[in-house]
Structures are given as C-alpha cells and as structure tokens.
Amino acid sequence: MVRKRNLKQSIYRVLSSGCRYETKHRSGRPFVTNQRDDRQIQRLASTQQMTVREVQRSSGLSVPKDRIRRRISETGRMVHCEMKKKPALKPHHK
C-alpha cells in the first residue's frame, strides 16, 4: 500500500513540476533502412507481383531478405493469400 502511494506521489510530482520529460533512448541495433527506403520497399511490393528477392534487387539496397520481408509485413496491408483452386484440365481440353 505504501509503495502504491509513493508511486502516485512521484508521478504527480513529475507531471505537476512543469519540467519537460521524454522517454529514454532505447538500446538495440539501429535500423539499416530509413523511412524513405521502407516506403520504396512497400511500394515495390504492393504495385507489382514480385518476390522478396526481386524487391531486394530492384530496390538497390544491400539489406537481407528477412529485413525486406519484415518491412513489407509491417504495413499490415500486404497479406499472403492462397490462389483459388481450379478444376484440372480434362483430356478433351488438351
């Protein structure tokens, strides 16, 4: 109970003091691509039927396939869909 009250008081003190606060810089590996490169990758993948390897080659970026695949999936608009089943050709069709 005491911890909860101290936490509320600390938060209130920081918010009411008027000083600016920001989130700390997160550690981790920095992105290889910037936002412009990400948009280019997403545009190539959405406008044409290309494989990840083809997107990698046509974008001119030296990034791994996994990274390109991740950037495409981050948009949320690109989803994998299986093709509809078609009836097999019969002998008189051939």
Side-chain angles (χ1 to χ4, degrees):
M1 188 71 169
V2 175
R3 290 175 124 179
K4 196 172 191 181
R5 190 174 339 144
N6 288 341
L7 180 64
K8 286 182 179 181
Q9 289 174 349
S10 298
I11 292 172
Y12 179 76
R13 195 173 336 113
V14 168
L15 293 175
S16 63
S17 66
C19 63
R20 293 185 49 82
Y21 65 94
E22 296 179 11
T23 57
K24 290 185 177 182
H25 177 70
R26 303 286 187 223
S27 63
R29 188 177 180 130
F31 287 124
V32 174
T33 58
N34 54 20
Q35 289 181 347
R36 185 176 184 173
D37 296 335
D38 294 343
R39 284 194 309 268
Q40 179 187 8
I41 290 168
Q42 292 164 0
R43 192 178 311 113
L44 284 171
S46 65
T47 57
Q48 300 156 359
Q49 234 179 355
M50 300 174 82
T51 63
V52 173
R53 189 176 296 266
E54 290 170 347
V55 171
Q56 182 183 26
R57 287 184 188 138
S58 63
S59 66
L61 300 170
S62 59
V63 293
K65 290 184 299 185
D66 295 335
R67 182 115 346 124
I68 291 176
R69 191 175 292 120
R70 191 177 307 124
R71 293 296 178 257
I72 292 170
S73 66
E74 283 175 356
T75 61
R77 291 184 287 162
M78 300 290 292
V79 293
H80 174 74
C81 296
E82 288 188 21
M83 294 176 67
K84 290 184 178 180
K85 301 290 183 190
K86 296 179 185 176
L89 291 177
K90 298 194 174 165
H92 69 276
H93 291 126
K94 294 182 181 182

